[in-house]
Amino acid sequence: MNNLPGEHFTIEWLLGRLDRRSFGIVMLVMSLVAMVPGISLLIGPLLAIPAFEMILGRSGPSFPKRIAVYPLRSSALAGIVKRALPLLAMLEKIVHPRWPISPGLSRRAAGLAILALSGLFLAPLPLIQIVPALLVALIALAYLEEDGLLLCVSLLATLVLMLVTTAAIWGAVLGWMHITG
């Protein structure tokens, strides 16, 4: 990480360096953070913002100026990258470009799925955030690596999860209606 700008960097600087990969990286990092119990209640609404920007066809995520220019320690970023490189090398053996899908279509499909999944992070049940977070991570990886096969499988898994969730909520509503008369 010799390209870091001194002792501090900003999210604005980082997104400028990531270019077209910025959505995938932001979504991947947010999905990993969302796996931490309690934090998912905060990450869910935050995930919806870049997901909506993906659906709109924007080239990269935007952040409020105050957050975008807030100085962060370069040593922290260097440490994260150093620890992540071996894992990314392993993942690139599994996740790689196949089944090409147009970038605009894949960005919008990924954004729509992530927007739907972001609502599931708000459920007040213990460890409920793990499955949606894993799906967001898979979608982000598929988007980053332009892996159409993994993207299609992830989107199908998202659809199944949303159907199961809808059925569970509908069952709970019917049960409540039956109990209350």
Side-chain angles (χ1 to χ4, degrees), residues 161-175:
L161 179 62
M162 296 309 293
L163 289 173
V164 167
T165 302
T166 302
I169 292 170
W170 183 247
V173 167
L174 289 178

Side-chain angles (χ1 to χ4, degrees), residues 66-181:
R66 182 179 175 125
I67 293 171
V69 298
Y70 186 82
L72 302 165
R73 286 191 349 253
S74 295
S75 61
L77 179 61
I80 290 168
V81 169
K82 186 177 178 181
R83 286 188 299 275
L85 285 177
L87 176 62
L88 290 175
M90 181 188 72
L91 284 173
E92 284 187 340
K93 293 177 185 173
I94 301 166
V95 182
H96 51 83
R98 56 187 161 195
W99 282 21
I101 298 175
S102 82
L105 179 62
S106 66
R107 180 174 38 246
R108 285 182 174 87
L112 187 60
I114 292 169
L115 183 62
L117 289 168
S118 69
L120 297 180
F121 289 105
L122 301 176
L125 302 171
L127 301 178
I128 197 78
Q129 78 280 3
I130 299 295
V131 174
L134 285 173
L135 284 173
V136 171
L138 286 175
I139 292 167
L141 282 171
Y143 179 77
L144 276 169
E145 293 296 324
E146 298 173 1
D147 189 340
L149 177 60
L150 180 59
L151 182 60
C152 288
V153 169
S154 301
L155 294 175
L156 181 60
T158 298
L159 178 62
V160 169
L161 179 62
M162 296 309 293
L163 289 173
V164 167
T165 302
T166 302
I169 292 170
W170 183 247
V173 167
L174 289 178
W176 181 78
M177 287 173 51
H178 179 73
I179 290 170
T180 60

Side-chain angles (χ1 to χ4, degrees), residues 26-47 117-118 120-121 127-134 136-137:
V26 166
M27 296 296 190
L28 182 60
V29 168
M30 290 176 83
S31 70
L32 296 175
V33 171
M35 289 185 198
V36 177
I39 294 179
S40 62
L41 292 172
L42 183 66
I43 294 294
L46 290 177
L47 262 174
L117 289 168
S118 69
L120 297 180
F121 289 105
L127 301 178
I128 197 78
Q129 78 280 3
I130 299 295
V131 174
L134 285 173
V136 171

